[in-house]
Amino acid sequence: MPTLLHLDSSPLYGTSISRELSAAFVTQWKILQPDGRVLDRDLNATVIAPITAEWVGSVFTPEEARTPQQKELLSLSDTLLGELEQADEYVIGVPMHNFGVPSVLKLWIDQIVRVGKTFVYVDGKPKGLLVGKGVTFIIATGGIYDAQTQMASFNFVEPYLRSIFGFVGVTDATFLTAGGTMALNYGQDRAAFLTPHVQAVQKHAQGLKGGHA
Ligand SMILES: Cc1cc2nc3c(=O)[nH]c(=O)nc-3n(C[C@H](O)[C@H](O)[C@H](O)COP(=O)(O)O)c2cc1C
């Protein structure tokens, strides 16, 4: 059964642009895959603790030697990893916060980048283990960071996500960005702003072939 993992990370819910656009992706995906399954993971409604020394110690303890307490420490990470493994396709809504990804998304990334689970070292080189997956990032930014603009070098969202997902094996990545959302605070009509972005999201979802190299 085709499975889509849908993640959101904007705290703004009803007024969030990235949430509205990732929902449009899900709607389109469901139309095209009526027998598909969607796993929803709302990172603003998931309590993820920052990494601690005990957590790191648990990761580096062989599975069969872990204490019940260590297993418990890794249980959320195991659940989140299970979601990534079950899905073939990921869609991730990302608001730009302080030129980077929101902290809840970083906390999630810290839970899913795990040696032996999502990457290994082979002959001293890292090898990602999440193969055959595709990811669509739907990013909303208050300003505009298009290539060639003066602000382009301030965009740490796209290069970081491309690198970290590539590191765990997900190299088939698409970035759809709704830039300039701050105009909505100055009277720009929300529906008019969203229309071309919804269309771009729908077109991209329609073009997904289901299956990644
Ligand atoms: C805490 C916070 C930090 C932000 N930092 C930036 C920033 O560095 N650059 C920018 O262009 N917009 C910034 N913004 C504006 C958001 O990127 C913009 O509101 C975007 O629409 C957020 O996505 P959302 O609507 O899905 O929440 C910030 C907003 C918040 C709430």
Side-chain angles (χ1 to χ4, degrees):
M1 188 197 296
T3 303
L4 173 69
L5 174 61
H6 170 210
L7 273 98
D8 273 316
S9 59
S10 168
L12 299 184
Y13 289 90
T15 59
S16 160
I17 296 294
S18 61
R19 278 180 183 267
E20 185 154 348
L21 292 173
S22 73
F25 180 104
V26 174
T27 302
Q28 187 62 49
W29 190 88
K30 278 187 186 155
I31 291 169
L32 297 171
Q33 327 252 8
D35 59 342
R37 186 169 58 127
V38 179
L39 306 174
D40 288 299
R41 173 57 67 182
D42 181 352
L43 295 179
N44 303 89
T46 306
V47 178
I48 305 180
I51 292 213
T52 58
E54 290 76 19
W55 189 94
V56 176
S58 306
V59 165
F60 286 100
T61 303
E63 213 157 322
E64 60 283 0
R66 282 184 196 138
T67 64
Q69 195 192 14
Q70 286 180 317
K71 286 181 187 160
E72 176 58 29
L73 262 179
L74 296 182
S75 67
L76 176 60
S77 168
D78 291 337
T79 300
L80 301 175
L81 286 171
E83 292 170 356
L84 279 169
E85 280 154 13
Q86 285 172 57
D88 330 280
E89 196 70 52
Y90 312 142
V91 61
I92 307 186
V94 187
M96 176 186 272
H97 283 177
N98 302 317
F99 306 119
V101 300
S103 48
V104 290
L105 181 55
K106 178 60 166 60
L107 288 169
W108 176 84
I109 289 169
D110 288 344
Q111 294 293 315
I112 60 95
V113 179
R114 261 177 70 181
V115 68
K117 294 281 188 189
T118 47
F119 73 97
V120 282
Y121 281 95
V122 178
D123 299 329
K125 286 191 192 142
K127 180 173 177 285
L129 298 178
L130 286 175
V131 290
K133 319 283 190 185
V135 62
T136 302
F137 295 102
I138 298 184
I139 300 167
T141 63
I144 291 181
Y145 300 84
D146 293 348
Q148 323 301 343
T149 65
Q150 212 186 352
M151 290 304 286
S153 68
F154 284 73
N155 179 5
F156 293 90
V157 176
E158 184 170 332
Y160 174 61
L161 290 172
R162 195 183 291 286
S163 299
I164 197 68
F165 274 74
F167 182 75
V168 293
V170 189
T171 50
D172 186 349
T174 301
F175 291 83
L176 300 175
T177 300
T181 66
M182 90 175 40
L184 298 171
N185 300 333
Y186 299 100
Q188 161 128 31
D189 181 66
R190 182 177 171 99
F193 177 86
L194 276 168
T195 298
H197 297 297
V198 171
Q199 285 168 351
V201 164
Q202 287 171 337
K203 191 167 167 220
H204 170 65
Q206 282 161 4
L208 290 173
K209 303 227 169 17
H212 300 272

